[in-house]
Amino acid sequence: MNVTPSATAEPFEHPALFYRGADEYLAGTVPFVLEGVAAGDPVAVAVPGGNLELIRAALGPAAAGVRLLDMGEAGRNPGRIIPGVLRAFADLHPGRRVRIIGEPIWPGRSAAEYPACLQHEALINLAFSGRDVTILCPYDLAGLSPEVIEDARMTHPVLVDGSGASASAHYALERVLRDCNRPLPTPEGAAVMHYGQGFGDDPLGRVRAFATEHAARIGLAGERLEDLRLIASELAANSLDYGGGSGTLRVWQEGERVVFDISDGGHIADPLAGRRPTPTHQLGSRGLLVTHLLSDLVRVHTEQGGTTIRVYFDVDGADPLEHIKSIEGAGFTGSTEDTGSTEDTGSTEDTGSAEDLANA
């Protein structure tokens, strides 16, 4: 399946596939996979479970040569998809053409998740610019709203449907990223604490204790509670190092989720902060990456003079890394390539726990 409307100097291709029903879905995805397999290209398919089974069955024996992932699990947190799924797979094959089908938006995504999904689709274009990779993103015309389809036209340079491929006249990467970076609504009934300069000794210990105490009252337990503890500590350490030396932590409940956010005076200038795999031997500068990998949803608002990072944990949620551990080093690399800026992205505190995650 040729997804490129015309010759281009940009090796990276990011087409949206618009489909209705199973037949159109398979007609748009299976040839793309089989062409890659026939050419000897590494191919991965990361789509929701029902669609994954459709593709697996249609591929037959050829499925054995394709990495198959349930995006409903591996990509439940959209912020985890670039480092933990897409880059994790593509980086295993340097110097080779890579093909990936990634379906991060499907009917049933919540209103809280969708802005993070939209931001993710825009950021793919920055994360893979200049790389010899094609990421085909299916969109269900029957199940998704017209607004979602219009957004897809703004995040994908190429559009594919039953009539073929064409350049998107509505592609607007900067506009989408700007629209996704909006202030987050203030929660009601949150437990609040301030930490850092002028708020007592051992600020990170106080943050860890406050966050875990309130999350446990809501129902979070076991390893997931420890994950929350680590993330709260890492993000608070960022506040001390890069956010003006102090910050505010808030914890509350939304339905079956524990939600907390940290606000400080810092600014995250890099739109891909926390979405680049980092070398396993690199200490520090991992806080936001670990946040994306371990949580169920992350929302960020940042501007000059202030940043809020909001983190969601499903009370009964499973370990999110269980579904991406089949990709070697998901979220972490063995090289120093593309480590990203150390500013505003992490801390050296609690690096032992981060190393445990890297070696999972």
Side-chain angles (χ1 to χ4, degrees):
M1 175 181 175
N2 182 11
V3 300
T4 308
S6 61
T8 175
E10 169 62 65
F12 173 57
E13 299 170 357
H14 184 208
L17 169 66
F18 296 140
Y19 71 93
R20 290 181 185 274
D23 289 344
E24 289 188 10
Y25 187 80
L26 294 176
T29 57
V30 172
F32 175 84
V33 172
L34 292 177
E35 288 172 11
V37 172
D41 298 336
V43 181
V45 175
V47 300
N51 287 342
L52 187 69
E53 293 310 311
L54 283 175
I55 292 176
R56 189 198 307 272
L59 289 175
V66 179
R67 181 65 56 82
L68 300 173
L69 292 169
D70 183 348
M71 186 67 97
E73 301 293 345
R76 170 57 62 183
N77 175 10
R80 187 166 60 238
I81 298 173
I82 289 175
V85 178
L86 304 181
R87 280 282 309 264
F89 180 73
D91 290 357
L92 292 176
H93 308 285
R96 300 177 64 186
R97 181 73 186 175
V98 174
R99 293 181 178 225
I100 302 172
I101 298 176
E103 190 171 4
I105 301 175
W106 57 83
R109 278 288 202 184
S110 71
E113 292 169 341
Y114 179 69
C117 295
L118 177 60
Q119 182 184 42
H120 156 76
E121 283 282 54
L123 288 173
I124 287 177
N125 299 288
L126 300 181
F128 287 89
S129 179
R131 296 193 59 169
D132 200 11
V133 176
T134 299
I135 301 175
L136 178 68
C137 300
Y139 279 80
D140 183 353
L141 292 175
L144 298 171
S145 71
E147 291 78 13
V148 171
I149 301 305
E150 287 306 307
D151 286 342
R153 299 179 190 277
M154 292 194 290
T155 55
H156 295 78
V158 176
L159 309 176
V160 182
D161 58 21
S163 62
S166 62
S168 174
H170 303 283
Y171 181 63
L173 174 62
E174 294 300 326
R175 173 185 168 185
V176 171
L177 291 177
R178 184 171 59 251
D179 287 348
C180 288
N181 184 34
R182 295 191 176 185
L184 301 171
T186 302
E188 296 183 1
V192 181
M193 73 163 288
H194 305 286
Y195 58 89
Q197 298 173 359
F199 295 103
D201 297 332
D202 189 19
L204 296 183
R206 291 174 57 240
V207 164
R208 290 192 289 266
F210 187 90
T212 54
E213 176 186 351
H214 287 279
R217 287 178 181 174
I218 296 170
L220 201 65
E223 291 186 4
R224 300 299 285 143
L225 186 61
E226 288 303 306
D227 290 343
L228 180 143
R229 175 184 180 275
L230 170 62
I231 291 172
S233 183
E234 289 285 328
L235 295 181
N238 280 359
S239 299
L240 303 181
D241 292 341
Y242 310 117
S246 62
T248 299
L249 167 65
R250 300 180 294 186
V251 187
W252 67 98
Q253 181 176 3
E254 288 186 10
E256 298 301 314
R257 280 178 160 174
V258 175
V259 189
F260 77 91
D261 66 26
I262 280 184
S263 300
D264 58 39
H267 175 229
I268 301 176
D270 179 6
L272 287 172
R275 300 179 196 247
R276 291 186 177 91
T278 58
T280 55
H281 62 268
Q282 179 178 319
L283 296 180
S285 302
R286 289 173 155 187
L288 195 49
L289 173 62
V290 170
T291 300
H292 282 301
L293 291 177
L294 288 181
S295 61
D296 294 302
L297 179 65
V298 179
R299 298 288 308 281
V300 178
H301 173 247
T302 186
E303 60 186 357
Q304 291 292 340
T307 291
T308 297
I309 299 176
R310 184 163 293 179
V311 184
Y312 297 70
F313 275 79
D314 295 336
V315 170
D316 296 322
D319 178 0
L321 292 184
E322 284 299 323
H323 302 280
I324 58 175
K325 284 178 181 176
S326 62
I327 300 181
E328 179 183 344
F332 296 88
T333 69
S335 72
T336 58
E337 189 271 332
D338 203 9
T339 60
S341 169
T342 59
E343 184 175 11
D344 296 330
T345 59
S347 74
T348 57
E349 201 277 330
D350 252 346
T351 54
S353 297
E355 285 296 329
D356 291 342
L357 171 63
N359 295 325

